[in-house]
Amino acid sequence: MSEQFEPKIVAFVCNWCTYAGADLAGTSRTKYATNVSIIRFPCTGRIDFMLLMKAFENGADGIIVSGCHPNDCHYTSGNFHARRRWIVFRSLLDFMGFDTDRITFSWVSAAEGTKWASLVNETTEKIRAKGAFTEFKNLDLETFNRLHDEAIAK
Amino acid sequence: MARIGVFICHCGENISATVDVAKVAEKAGKLSGVAFSVDYKYMCSDPGQTLIIEAIKKHKLTGIVVAACSPRMHEGTFRKAAEKAGINPYFCEMANIREQVSWVHPKSDTTTQKALDIVRTLVEKVKKNTALFPIKVPVTKTALVIGGGIAGIQAALDIANAGHQVIMVEKKPSIGGHMSQLSETFPTLDCSQCILTPRMVEVAQHPNITLHTYAEVESVSGFVGNFDVKIKMKAKSVDYSKCTGCGACWQKCPSKKIPDEFNEGMGFRTAIYSPFPQAVPNKPVIDRLNCTWFLKGKCGLCTKICPTGAINYDAVDEFIDVKVGAIVTATGFDLKHADFFPEYGYGKFKDVIDGMQFERLASASGPTAGEIRRPSDGKIPEKIVFVACAGSRDKAKGIEYCSKICCMYTAKHAMLYKHKNHEGKAYVFYMDIRAAGKDYDEFVRRAIEEDEVQYIRGRVSRIYEKNEKLIVKGVDTLMNGEPVDIEADMVVLATAVVANIEAESLAQKLHISYNKHKFFAEAHPKLKPVETNTAGIMLAGACQSAKDIPESVSQASASASKVIGLFSSSELTREPIVAVVNRQAPPNYTSCTGCLLCQEVCPYHAIETEEIKDRAGNVLKVVARVNAGLCQGCGTCVAMCRNKSIDLQGFSNDQMLSEVMALLNS
Amino acid sequence: MKQLQNKVAELFDNGTISLMIGFQNALNKQPVPCFITVASQVERLIYTPECKGNLAVYLHKIEVKQAKKVGIIGNVATLRSLIQLTSENQLGDIEKTVITVNAQNEVIIFANMDEVEAYVQANFPEYTDEDKKLLEQLNAMSRAERWQYWSEQFSVCVKCYACRAVCPMCYCPSCTVESNQPQWIKVSSETTGNLEWHTMRAMHLAGRCINCGECGRICPVGIPVHLLTAQMNKDIEAEFGAKTGFSCKSGYALNTFKPGDKEQFIK
């Protein structure tokens, strides 16, 4: 009986909304999957796309990025800037052929504890179905092997 | 060389029930850079904090990680402990292994491992922490109170009596709020206006209070201690410096058929009007949307009549800018109009009214001079049915909360009706009777026992008109669900209390949170009921949640005390979680290229330019610089900077990268 | 050509410029940049369709900055670079004299950046047919095919950073990729690190790149890196209406926002 694949998912969340929403899920004792670990940022505006890349590089199979709903940012506009940044980043990743479904973006407010729990569960199942992010991890091995094979074939 | 201390809290059984805390402490002790690791039952308690302080001193710790509840709970507590132990408080981080681990996962090895992962993440972060020192900013000792109802009035008086300046902004022409519309108040049945108006006058005459009526908050910027507020003074069309309140204008105004807001549409008012006789200030405004002069350019009677020439048709909206140190929101509530209960016929049948309309009928200054009369034909009703919970506690209708005040005012309405009509019959259809306050239950019993109000436990399914009567179809659940049909002359619906219609837009201007029902969010539901998450902004009254007058007044005084506390020193100490643009040695001076693309994103305009000069005074480059007094620490500029010249203290690039690496590499 | 040389000589003579950055004849393959400091050297200056290269990149060099009064010639792409750099406060320490040669072979010397802006807005370029075709092909591929394509391309990147060196918009004296405390991007030429480098470059240039195509042209191993930023700019213009190198006042898409920005992917 093979063990079920347990994806590793990192969540980049903002302190004022999603982190508080996750705390609320905890206070309400809502149960959800263990696969998601949270890293706290003051605002989604602070989330650098390079941190997402580093997460994938270091073994994350999936990422969640979540913050305050538009118009509700504790710092007024951080999430608006984040939104634009994500639109562009996602478009770039898609153009490069990166599987953008591995990154889940959402707005979760401080009152939405149940939404957080559902998001964690849904994302975990989605990434579990996709499997480990070997496409990214094996970049070097794959290309190396292929180029090597092609060179030998010549 | 880092010497980090790790403290794992059991939190009683809250954490230890699902996380093997001893194992986490043991494994954490083996992490590189960790000099001391221990677990304990209650870290936040006195002995817990002492444990931390002694450990810091004994093991010469350079930083600590407390793995316990959410940092939103106790980060402050443990930072103070670190400070007591002699290290900079910003070398303390909290790992959230309760709300985000032990409370949401079952007891298992995976859960314990996750707790360890999170501890490891914060240990790596702390290694990159730097000493930070609080920033001091001056405090403007003027408070802004938004809303002139009883809560706003109480807060303003408390703050003013403590010796501070208060600016009160009220959007209606008079202060007083909904309390001024009530006839008598529970549980004492004393006259609402009689207890309110002295307070209103006190506000108007108080030397420390500046009252702006018919005004709204246009915009708010800045931060605690230093808010810049723009107030829109709507054009009153009457010069208050000349007006004496003689009333000649509204007595003669020919436009007499405008539905009166104060009387909840049950009476009429003139175009130039003062909302009610005891209005403060007792000077009129012109309703430009309904005034003949503004609509057609004709009439102008008031100008001719006014003895002091106070009418000014050319007045325009004016804007003033004020600086305040704290803001109290006291914008109150509205009643949900029952048009979403088509089965009750509100809006369709004239004699189906809501609670506030009943208040106006019962009120001596109301459209019927205090006599309860049917709006349709003016006859005195012989039977009135009161429907409680008309809209509240109903998930299907979208309002699942209890509006708190309706059980009491329904009893009051029934009693008032019976006092005025001894022969009349009053029925109340109820689900529960919520009369929890002081003398409240006794009040309801009085209605039932002395005034013979008949209480029927059941809901009303339908109301329809037949032969000028209202047929109320209800049920008596205490009589085995027996249907009850009443031929009533009037029906009063206790509709839901909802947030003020402009609550959402005000919340967005203030950057405060609100729930899905647009009630403003308190910082903590139990322990911080009058503050918001935005420092310097307090809540008072029904804008936070439905509540009655004694509670509104208590909450207003509570929020005033928070403001007074804020004003108790001339300087405010701010958290140093701010952005900084690096500075280096010559010839670079800084890695900032001066592209200033970060400047645009700052919502607080905290990014300024600085000219880097050589010794001769020649400008070498113009670069960015952060004004630490304005920066609120969101970090959007940091993510914007291509070469990472600007960084956020407390959430620096180094710290966040360390967290990501540590989380994924064990 | 003669007209251009005469005009530049005039600029030297009346003291308007002390350094002219232009093109001179090819030594081996194609015309190369040249730097002239006296009027007598103007005969070296040429301007032909073979003059490829975005000379704006030299305006960041300290030697050029020290010259203070600099003349520069370029096509519309170069002019766009100048406009974009102006909007990012980068050329304030140089008195520039901007020259171009239009489609009718007339030499135009702009009096100020407003004139440059007007010219650019009137002659705003499209993507080349070749680039359009390549972008279409890439966008028509499936995600997996694109991943295959780009990972292959990135596997041969040697991390020479020529793409960065030739780009006028890459002017940060200390680039993130050179940071080793902490190390954001691996230095060695391995595919994961290469992918990260190109992602970072594309993100930092998204909304700033003026599509001169130099980076793609200059890559020693032939990776069409200019397509990454070309695609980004297309998307940004489509989503947010922002054009690069269009106005001297900043129109950077990523430091502004509209409350009504739309997307379909945020839950």
Side-chain angles (χ1 to χ4, degrees):
Chain A
M1 168 89 157
S2 62
E3 265 186 32
Q4 207 185 25
F5 162 63
E6 290 298 340
K8 265 197 214 172
I9 301 172
V10 182
F12 295 82
V13 308
C14 83
N15 175 58
W16 301 96
C17 284
T18 306
Y19 194 90
D23 278 352
L24 179 62
T27 333
S28 321
R29 311 293 195 276
T30 322
K31 300 282 181 263
Y32 54 80
T34 53
N35 308 62
V36 176
S37 296
I38 290 178
I39 296 185
R40 182 171 73 121
F41 287 79
C43 178
T44 45
R46 170 70 186 88
I47 303 174
D48 193 335
F49 68 88
M50 292 186 72
L51 287 171
L52 271 68
M53 300 241 69
K54 294 312 268 184
F56 281 122
E57 185 197 310
N58 283 280
D61 298 300
I63 289 180
I64 295 177
V65 180
S66 179
C68 304
H69 288 258
N71 280 321
D72 295 344
C73 178
H74 180 82
Y75 303 99
T76 324
S77 53
N79 59 355
F80 284 128
H81 290 294
R83 177 162 66 179
R84 275 217 172 175
R85 196 181 300 143
W86 299 343
I87 291 174
V88 173
F89 186 52
R90 203 167 174 276
S91 163
L92 175 65
L93 290 180
D94 188 56
F95 183 62
M96 292 199 298
F98 194 100
D99 186 359
T100 51
D101 277 344
R102 292 216 176 238
I103 310 178
T104 305
F105 295 95
S106 77
W107 308 127
V108 173
S109 82
E112 291 176 313
T114 32
K115 182 175 178 186
W116 173 250
S118 310
L119 185 71
V120 169
N121 287 333
E122 277 163 25
T123 310
T124 304
E125 287 321 303
K126 180 169 79 172
I127 307 292
R128 197 196 302 276
K130 282 182 179 287
F133 200 9
T134 49
E135 196 180 51
F136 189 85
K137 291 174 200 169
N138 289 347
L139 253 185
D140 303 300
L141 200 56
E142 238 176 65
T143 351
F144 175 80
N145 285 338
R146 191 170 14 91
L147 289 173
H148 183 73
D149 292 341
E150 281 169 10
I152 290 188
K154 280 204 188 116
Chain B
M1 187 57 219
R3 293 179 59 78
I4 311 293
V6 176
F7 302 87
I8 318 284
C9 185
H10 296 217
C11 194
E13 282 225 327
N14 282 310
I15 297 177
S16 53
T18 50
V19 172
D20 184 343
V21 285
K23 195 164 174 194
V24 176
E26 185 214 323
K27 292 208 162 173
K30 298 200 179 106
L31 293 171
S32 151
V34 173
F36 178 75
S37 177
V38 74
D39 58 282
Y40 183 71
K41 261 206 169 324
Y42 297 105
M43 280 300 174
C44 57
S45 65
D46 254 355
Q49 294 192 45
T50 308
L51 172 84
I52 295 176
I53 295 171
E54 315 253 275
I56 292 176
K57 290 184 185 158
K58 180 168 171 202
H59 298 276
K60 298 195 189 350
L61 301 176
T62 55
I64 61 172
V65 173
V66 180
C69 50
S70 171
R72 294 170 64 90
M73 275 237 73
H74 276 308
E75 190 173 68
T77 316
F78 294 115
R79 284 198 168 158
K80 282 202 190 79
E83 201 170 21
K84 274 201 204 135
I87 60 173
N88 184 288
Y90 291 90
F91 286 116
C92 161
E93 293 283 345
M94 283 195 71
N96 185 337
I97 60 169
R98 189 183 71 170
E99 280 87 336
Q100 293 178 6
V101 181
S102 75
W103 272 350
V104 293
H105 300 317
K107 182 178 165 120
S108 73
D109 288 337
T110 316
T111 306
T112 300
Q113 180 60 41
K114 184 170 175 181
L116 181 62
D117 288 341
I118 292 177
V119 168
R120 187 181 62 238
T121 305
L122 273 308
V123 165
E124 288 306 310
K125 183 185 186 193
V126 156
K127 286 182 189 170
K128 302 284 165 84
N129 281 20
T130 52
L132 300 176
F133 302 92
I135 300 164
K136 299 223 184 259
V137 284
V139 177
T140 308
K141 295 192 189 188
T142 303
L144 173 72
V145 176
I146 307 177
I150 184 63
I153 288 171
Q154 183 64 42
L157 288 173
D158 284 342
I159 299 171
N161 286 334
H164 302 297
Q165 295 298 308
V166 178
I167 298 172
M168 178 183 275
V169 172
E170 163 56 54
K171 73 177 178 194
K172 296 214 167 77
S174 166
I175 54 175
H178 284 304
M179 191 174 167
S180 60
Q181 292 174 288
L182 305 180
S183 61
E184 287 160 50
T185 56
F186 57 77
T188 44
L189 288 184
D190 47 358
C191 153
S192 177
Q193 295 254 5
C194 307
I195 52 178
L196 176 64
T197 43
R199 294 286 177 96
M200 287 162 62
V201 171
E202 213 185 320
V203 165
Q205 293 179 343
H206 203 295
N208 287 345
I209 300 180
T210 309
L211 177 60
H212 297 300
T213 52
Y214 213 51
E216 292 177 23
V217 168
E218 177 77 8
S219 69
V220 176
S221 64
F223 55 98
V224 60
N226 302 275
F227 290 108
D228 287 304
V229 182
K230 193 183 276 288
I231 301 174
K232 177 163 126 182
M233 322 268 277
K234 299 187 289 197
K236 297 182 173 100
S237 316
V238 174
D239 185 344
Y240 275 26
S241 63
K242 296 184 183 153
C243 174
T244 57
C246 69
C249 53
W250 52 260
Q251 278 172 346
K252 293 281 187 236
C253 175
S255 299
K256 293 190 194 295
K257 290 291 183 191
I258 303 163
D260 189 351
E261 297 90 348
F262 188 78
N263 280 317
E264 298 290 322
M266 307 201 56
F268 298 111
R269 62 162 170 79
T270 47
I272 185 167
Y273 73 104
S274 184
F276 55 99
Q278 302 90 342
V280 168
N282 200 354
K283 298 179 183 177
V285 301
I286 296 183
D287 172 7
R288 292 187 173 187
L289 296 173
N290 287 300
C291 164
T292 315
W293 175 264
F294 287 99
L295 290 173
K296 299 183 194 149
K298 294 194 186 139
C299 184
L301 205 64
C302 46
T303 309
K304 297 171 194 143
I305 289 200
C306 176
T308 57
I311 311 287
N312 176 13
Y313 295 132
D314 298 322
V316 290
D317 291 346
E318 273 175 32
F319 292 88
I320 58 169
D321 292 303
V322 296
K323 286 195 181 313
V324 300
I327 300 176
V328 178
T329 63
T331 48
F333 70 97
D334 276 331
L335 280 189
K336 179 101 180 162
H337 288 295
D339 45 335
F340 69 96
F341 262 142
E343 59 263 48
Y344 289 170
Y346 181 88
K348 197 162 123 192
F349 308 130
K350 278 193 146 195
D351 297 318
V352 175
I353 59 174
D354 68 29
M356 196 56 88
Q357 289 173 313
F358 187 88
E359 292 282 349
R360 294 315 303 150
L361 290 178
S363 195
S365 61
T368 56
E371 292 188 341
I372 314 288
R373 288 180 179 278
R374 284 160 43 110
S376 59
D377 53 15
K379 290 197 189 136
I380 298 197
E382 285 161 40
K383 269 191 206 167
I384 301 190
V385 167
F386 296 88
V387 180
C389 285
S392 314
R393 303 180 63 195
D394 195 339
K395 207 164 171 181
K397 294 286 186 184
I399 297 186
E400 61 280 2
Y401 57 84
C402 165
S403 293
K404 201 156 189 193
I405 56 179
C406 338
C407 283
M408 287 304 291
Y409 74 60
T410 299
K412 176 184 76 171
H413 288 171
M415 285 165 76
L416 290 180
Y417 168 64
K418 290 288 292 183
H419 292 175
K420 295 180 198 245
N421 301 85
H422 299 294
E423 302 307 317
K425 295 240 183 296
Y427 302 89
V428 177
F429 280 95
Y430 72 101
M431 295 212 293
D432 295 290
I433 301 180
R434 293 183 166 180
K438 187 170 181 177
D439 298 328
Y440 280 24
D441 205 71
E442 296 91 314
F443 182 79
V444 179
R445 297 306 317 167
R446 208 177 117 192
I448 298 173
E449 285 160 20
E450 284 178 37
D451 294 310
E452 293 173 342
V453 175
Q454 199 160 347
Y455 270 71
I456 304 164
R457 192 184 182 278
R459 298 196 69 181
V460 171
S461 63
R462 223 184 121 205
I463 299 173
Y464 59 92
E465 228 173 32
K466 190 171 146 190
N467 300 332
E468 290 182 14
K469 294 264 187 199
L470 291 164
I471 312 299
V472 179
K473 297 187 85 66
V475 66
D476 191 341
T477 57
L478 295 177
M479 293 290 281
N480 270 335
E482 195 178 281
V484 175
D485 286 358
I486 302 180
E487 268 184 28
D489 297 302
M490 197 156 115
V491 172
V492 182
L493 302 175
T495 54
V497 164
V498 293
N500 186 310
I501 195 163
E502 281 162 62
E504 188 175 10
S505 82
L506 180 66
Q508 289 172 356
K509 283 179 192 161
L510 295 174
H511 312 309
I512 58 177
S513 312
Y514 49 93
N515 70 5
K516 71 176 180 197
H517 297 290
K518 321 289 191 234
F519 286 111
F520 298 150
E522 62 286 323
H524 189 279
K526 283 173 280 278
L527 300 177
K528 289 189 177 174
V530 298
E531 296 159 277
T532 59
N533 269 325
T534 306
I537 303 186
M538 321 298 174
L539 302 174
C543 62
Q544 182 243 355
S545 72
K547 54 176 66 75
D548 52 33
I549 294 167
E551 283 177 349
S552 297
V553 171
S554 312
Q555 205 186 36
S557 289
S559 64
S561 80
K562 297 288 178 198
V563 171
I564 294 166
L566 194 66
F567 290 176
S568 62
S569 57
S570 54
E571 254 184 355
L572 199 60
T573 309
R574 288 191 56 224
E575 285 253 321
I577 310 292
V578 294
V580 180
V581 182
N582 69 27
R583 291 290 183 263
Q584 302 167 348
N588 292 329
Y589 296 96
T590 172
S591 65
C592 169
T593 62
C595 72
L596 298 173
L597 293 178
C598 54
Q599 211 174 29
E600 273 287 320
V601 300
C602 181
Y604 307 99
H605 305 294
I607 300 185
E608 306 165 339
T609 52
E610 185 181 346
E611 288 178 334
I612 307 271
K613 296 187 182 146
D614 66 16
R615 289 206 176 194
N618 302 314
V619 176
L620 299 168
K621 41 163 109 174
V622 177
V623 295
R625 192 180 76 124
V626 178
N627 178 339
L630 295 175
C631 174
Q632 295 298 299
C634 72
T636 308
C637 56
V638 177
M640 185 69 51
C641 183
R642 299 185 304 279
N643 68 354
K644 303 193 175 351
S645 302
I646 192 169
D647 211 350
L648 181 62
Q649 289 178 166
F651 291 94
S652 70
N653 284 309
D654 228 342
Q655 287 168 315
M656 301 324 291
L657 181 63
S658 303
E659 283 199 54
V660 171
M661 303 291 267
L663 184 60
L664 292 162
N665 298 299
S666 37
Chain C
M1 217 85 76
K2 212 57 188 123
Q3 196 195 34
L4 171 65
Q5 291 168 355
N6 289 341
K7 291 218 171 186
V8 173
E10 251 175 61
L11 291 172
F12 273 111
D13 288 336
N14 60 27
T16 313
I17 60 175
S18 59
L19 169 70
M20 175 68 195
I21 309 175
F23 291 96
Q24 66 188 10
N25 267 313
L27 182 64
N28 297 317
K29 282 196 184 149
Q30 70 207 23
V32 293
C34 79
F35 300 82
I36 296 173
T37 48
V38 288
S40 54
Q41 293 170 337
V42 297
E43 278 129 18
R44 288 158 59 188
L45 282 176
I46 63 162
Y47 196 72
T48 64
E50 285 79 43
C51 292
K52 297 188 204 294
N54 189 336
L55 297 174
V57 68
Y58 293 110
L59 295 177
H60 302 300
K61 305 296 178 193
I62 192 161
E63 299 86 345
V64 169
K65 285 188 190 282
Q66 280 168 352
K68 285 278 180 217
K69 295 180 179 180
V70 180
I72 181 169
I73 188 168
N75 56 9
V76 179
T78 310
L79 299 181
R80 282 177 74 188
S81 292
L82 296 174
I83 293 176
Q84 184 68 24
L85 287 169
T86 307
S87 77
E88 292 183 15
N89 306 300
Q90 290 307 301
L91 301 177
D93 45 1
I94 302 179
E95 275 177 53
K96 326 166 263 301
T97 305
V98 184
I99 307 170
T100 191
V101 176
N102 68 8
Q104 289 76 44
N105 254 322
E106 293 160 335
V107 176
I108 305 176
I109 301 181
F110 296 102
N112 52 39
M113 285 309 291
D114 288 331
E115 284 190 10
V116 179
E117 194 183 296
Y119 182 84
V120 162
Q121 289 181 0
N123 296 287
F124 208 68
E126 290 251 353
Y127 290 99
T128 64
D129 288 330
E130 193 190 323
D131 283 349
K132 272 196 210 165
K133 197 162 133 232
L134 280 166
L135 285 175
E136 253 172 52
Q137 276 175 351
L138 281 167
N139 280 311
M141 290 183 195
S142 71
R143 178 195 75 73
E145 285 172 331
R146 277 201 296 276
W147 180 250
Q148 169 94 336
Y149 176 83
W150 286 111
S151 33
E152 230 168 37
Q153 294 290 336
F154 294 145
S155 72
V156 298
C157 170
V158 293
K159 286 290 197 65
C160 66
Y161 301 120
C163 47
R164 182 184 66 168
V166 84
C167 176
M169 301 316 298
C170 272
Y171 52 74
C172 296
S174 63
C175 175
T176 304
V177 82
E178 268 138 16
S179 164
N180 61 9
Q181 286 295 343
Q183 178 126 69
W184 290 93
I185 293 178
K186 295 184 206 168
V187 172
S188 57
S189 165
E190 45 113 54
T191 321
T192 327
N194 294 349
L195 176 92
E196 288 176 357
W197 156 242
H198 286 286
T199 307
M200 181 186 119
R201 205 187 77 94
M203 281 300 289
H204 283 184
L205 285 170
R208 299 174 58 236
C209 160
I210 46 79
N211 299 120
C212 65
E214 281 297 284
C215 49
R217 183 179 74 87
I218 219 77
C219 174
V221 292
I223 304 173
V225 289
H226 64 295
L227 292 181
L228 291 169
T229 48
Q231 180 68 30
M232 285 295 95
N233 283 346
K234 259 176 159 238
D235 286 343
I236 287 176
E237 191 175 337
E239 293 260 13
F240 310 124
K243 288 198 189 143
T244 54
F246 192 78
S247 161
C248 290
K249 293 186 203 27
S250 175
Y252 185 36
L254 288 179
N255 71 353
T256 51
F257 68 90
K258 291 203 188 79
D261 284 338
K262 295 221 182 311
E263 44 40 50
Q264 307 287 4
F265 59 88
I266 303 183
K267 295 200 182 201

